[in-house]
Amino acid sequence: LNSALTTKEASLFPLFFTTHKAATMVQVPDALVWELVKKNTSFMKKVNGRSKRSGCVKFSVEPTNVKSISTFQCSGLANSKAVSVVFAPDNKAVLVKKTASKAHTQPAKGTSSTNVHKDFRRSEKIILSQAIDNYYRPDLKAPLLGKFTKIYQGNRRAAGTKSKVPVKKGRTSSKA
């Protein structure tokens, strides 16, 4: 690009061509990121309400969103510290935690995952020690443990360890 310019053109734009460096990522406050992404992200799924009064509900399918609801507290995009429990293959669960990464352009390197596939009590202890007891996200204690409980129950049913929940049939006519 510089070779195509004449000396006169290069003298008009000396700062652009001589001091141009690769762009680096800057730290942005979490509240500002939320204001930018709260109305539209690729992870958002909107469901209309049943009436005009109820409005629409915004769900989120981010891997680090605990409640799967598009709110600032649960968002994995807007919060610098995010944590969630997700399904893993072979009827297991994984604790996914957002970490401070030097690779800003590679989001996959910005998370760490911990397997939680032991018995319930030990897995609960792992989740509490990794996310709650070390003051990482103590506000998400109830949603994390609730989500892990449901994943654990589903994995036990899929593995055949626990019997499936019987389906309710509704009213039946009883002839006496």
Side-chain angles (χ1 to χ4, degrees):
L1 189 66
N2 284 338
S3 62
L5 294 175
T6 63
T7 56
K8 184 178 180 184
E9 291 171 338
S11 66
L12 293 175
F13 306 106
L15 294 176
F16 179 75
F17 291 110
T18 56
T19 61
H20 180 67
K21 295 181 182 176
T24 58
M25 295 294 288
V26 294
Q27 293 294 330
V28 180
D30 293 346
L32 176 61
V33 174
W34 175 246
E35 289 299 320
L36 295 172
V37 300
K38 74 178 177 182
K39 295 208 176 188
N40 191 13
T41 67
S42 61
F43 296 109
M44 191 178 295
K45 306 291 181 202
K46 293 182 182 178
V47 178
N48 288 331
R50 296 180 188 268
S51 67
K52 288 183 181 179
R53 237 168 89 182
S54 63
C56 75
V57 180
K58 297 176 184 174
F59 293 104
S60 178
V61 292
E62 305 165 38
T64 52
N65 191 323
V66 181
K67 291 185 176 180
S68 297
I69 297 176
S70 185
T71 61
F72 176 67
Q73 178 189 15
C74 300
S75 176
L77 295 174
N79 287 310
S80 55
K81 293 181 177 181
V83 63
S84 183
V85 180
V86 294
F87 280 109
D90 301 329
N91 298 329
K92 294 181 182 177
V94 174
L95 177 71
V96 179
K97 222 163 92 168
K98 192 173 181 182
T99 59
S101 172
K102 293 181 181 177
H104 298 294
T105 57
Q106 298 172 338
K109 291 186 177 181
T111 59
S112 67
S113 58
T114 306
N115 292 330
V116 282
H117 58 272
K118 298 179 180 176
D119 63 280
F120 185 82
R121 190 174 40 85
R122 289 182 182 166
S123 298
E124 182 183 26
K125 188 176 177 183
I126 290 171
I127 291 170
L128 290 175
S129 68
Q130 292 283 321
I132 310 304
D133 294 341
N134 64 354
Y135 302 106
Y136 188 76
R137 285 299 298 267
D139 57 326
L140 295 178
K141 179 178 180 178
L144 263 177
L145 293 178
K147 188 172 183 180
F148 173 70
T149 302
K150 291 301 177 184
I151 289 174
Y152 185 79
Q153 289 173 352
N155 286 343
R156 288 193 60 198
R157 284 190 191 105
T161 311
K162 187 176 179 181
S163 61
K164 295 184 178 182
V165 178
V167 178
K168 293 184 179 179
K169 302 288 184 185
R171 293 186 181 185
T172 57
S173 60
S174 58
K175 296 179 182 179

